[in-house]
Amino acid sequence: MLYDIIILGTGIAGTMLGAIFARQGRKVLLIEKEVHPRFALGESMILESSEMMRLTAERFDVPEIGYISTIQTTQREITSNCGVKKNFSFVYHRPGQAQKAEECTQIPIPSMPYGHELHMFRQDIDAYMMAAAVRYGADVRQRTEVCKVDCREDCVEVETTKGEKFSAKFLADAGGYRSLLATKFDLRPKPLMARTHSRALFTHMVGVRPYHTIGHSLRSQGLPSPLHEGTLHHIFDGGWFWVIPFNNHPNATNPLCSVGVNLDSRRHPRPPGDPYDEFKDFIHRYPSITPQFETARPVRDWVSTERLQYAATQVVGDRWCLMGHAAGAVDALFSRGMFHTTGTVHAVADQVLEALKDDNFSRARFQHIEDVVQTGLAYNDRTVACSYAAFRSFDLWNAWYRVYGIGAFLESLRLTRAHLKYAETGDREYLRVLHHTPFRTLGGGIEGWNVLFHEACELVESSEADRISPQEAARGIYALFEKADFIPPMMELTSPRRRFLSDTTKPGILKFVAWGKTSAPKFMKKAFFDVSVATLLSEHVKWGERSLRRKPPRAYAG
């Protein structure tokens, strides 16, 4: 049988793509060398990835993808093993010193109108999406390893170690770093030109104490949201810890907490020995972190990596593409990987479904996918590299995180606006949002933000090179905020004393919407606020009422 698409790998990228094609009535084969359920990283969602999931679910009529986008729908439809995420929090530490209450920052995450973000327990989420793909008609081969790929003019043929052969009109490789296509075509660049240099050690643990029970109070920190109800980053000169709890809400049934450390591999080369010993060594360098892990125990072996960064010189070809982490990776800071994955799924599904209609699978046809992936990785690389540079000084970090924060805010606003415009007009073209504004993964396509981003990066990089001090770089970033007319004034980005990015209470959101509809620059109104007040306030645009309606798969329709 000639399949329409063969997908290598059944992580979240491969299974979402498989579900989309099967839902559209296409012949799909998913091949996986392992078996579900299985451990996977990429557990922290962000607004952009959640909104892209909702847009994708609506565009391709696969509500299961949308169910993953909030803790409420995940609990209702999939599993109670996921955690809630109401903030991104960053607590600054110095070795050998107690943490200072005022040296922390936070990006609160609004829950309106769809629900709260979540920490994904990936073994449940990935297995669920694979089952959804099968339910829609996809074929799946687990414990099956592909050893050979032959890209022909009329099809792609794969051969397994069992001697089986399968052919398809298109091949999507979602096999991660060890991508078969990346190996076949020698796509890993040497030397790697990434700016970021980091490695990681990680596991799942039980007994991790909520930081608010041992650290400073929210009031003394000046933060609006409890740290334990979000993704906690302990940051320090040279690296950062992540703490991602799955047991941080009343309905939780999962006692686990995802824990890891990412380190600048140039300053902290990977040592020999047990990675758990290295983890404990780092804990004890920072006295305010130590108590959080006093009763913690790993439930699986620690993993210690070499340098995390890798890329691909080419992402698409005649009849093939690289998906998700097969195309490249940077660092888990800011949880950008899932947004790049969902954006790539959206773009690949859109382009390949069109190619199936006219039987044109040339590389030129898929250039948009190449642009989406490579641009996203490049922006994320510079963002993360500048963040590591900013870790050397809290003053600089306090300024720099706002650059990232406003860019992510504008990007999520662009995606939300697209969804609302679709709800308002019924025009499905709005769901193809990646085709209508530049895909930079930050800034929402606003050129002013793009200029600000690169100028801020140059200031941070000048500080890293000791051409200016961290304090001078911070002052320069605040000066950039002063000149930016696209930044809502209620965010108070120019005030170093305000250590959270936005007011996500209902009055705060209403104040922001009022600014957007009345006082914002014309280009902002056109780009983000050209939605009627009735649509903004209508219960009918809520995801739970519009986009999560239950739809039987075509194979089961009566």
Side-chain angles (χ1 to χ4, degrees), residues 416-424 513 517 525-526 528-537 541:
T416 300
R417 177 259 182 189
H419 206 163
L420 291 173
K421 289 296 289 184
Y422 165 69
E424 184 174 73
V513 172
K517 298 292 287 185
K525 292 178 182 178
K526 181 178 180 181
F528 302 119
F529 296 98
D530 62 338
V531 179
S532 71
V533 174
T535 299
L536 288 170
L537 299 179
V541 302

Side-chain angles (χ1 to χ4, degrees), residues 97-109:
Q97 299 182 28
Q99 199 273 325
K100 300 178 181 179
E102 67 276 11
E103 290 191 337
C104 56
T105 60
Q106 187 175 87
I107 303 175
I109 299 174

Side-chain angles (χ1 to χ4, degrees), residues 193-197 309 329-331 333-334 336 340 374-390 397 400 403-404 440-442 449-462 464 467:
M193 301 305 292
R195 301 167 186 259
T196 307
H197 291 258
Q309 294 71 47
V330 180
D331 187 284
L333 187 66
F334 297 125
R336 304 300 296 174
H340 296 153
Q374 302 289 26
T375 303
L377 287 170
Y379 262 76
N380 195 31
D381 178 35
R382 198 174 190 191
T383 300
V384 173
C386 284
S387 297
Y388 274 83
W397 168 258
W400 167 253
V403 176
Y404 163 76
R440 300 190 182 109
T441 78
L442 287 171
W449 182 87
N450 191 47
V451 173
L452 184 151
F453 172 77
H454 289 294
E455 290 182 352
C457 288
E458 290 170 3
L459 288 165
V460 174
E461 290 157 359
S462 292
E464 184 180 29
R467 292 190 293 270

Side-chain angles (χ1 to χ4, degrees), residues 152-169:
R152 302 173 181 175
E153 185 176 338
D154 60 340
C155 71
V156 179
E157 184 178 85
V158 302
E159 184 176 344
T160 74
T161 54
K162 302 173 185 178
E164 301 169 297
K165 293 184 179 181
F166 305 97
S167 58
K169 298 175 183 177

Side-chain angles (χ1 to χ4, degrees), residues 232-250:
L232 173 59
H233 306 71
H234 294 299
I235 60 176
F236 53 89
D237 187 11
W240 61 283
F241 287 74
W242 78 71
V243 181
I244 301 177
F246 302 114
N247 62 344
N248 61 348
H249 57 90

Side-chain angles (χ1 to χ4, degrees), residues 267-324:
R267 296 178 56 183
H268 302 285
R270 184 183 181 190
D274 188 345
Y276 191 20
D277 291 336
E278 185 185 11
F279 174 76
K280 289 185 288 187
D281 176 62
F282 266 97
I283 289 174
H284 293 130
R285 296 184 192 186
Y286 302 96
S288 295
I289 298 177
T290 307
Q292 186 171 21
F293 295 97
E294 281 179 340
T295 61
R297 298 173 58 194
V299 300
R300 56 184 302 115
D301 292 341
W302 280 84
V303 176
S304 178
T305 74
E306 299 290 350
R307 186 181 178 185
L308 293 167
Q309 294 71 47
Y310 60 91
T313 54
Q314 182 180 334
V315 175
V316 298
D318 295 339
R319 295 189 180 272
W320 62 265
C321 74
L322 304 184
M323 297 285 301

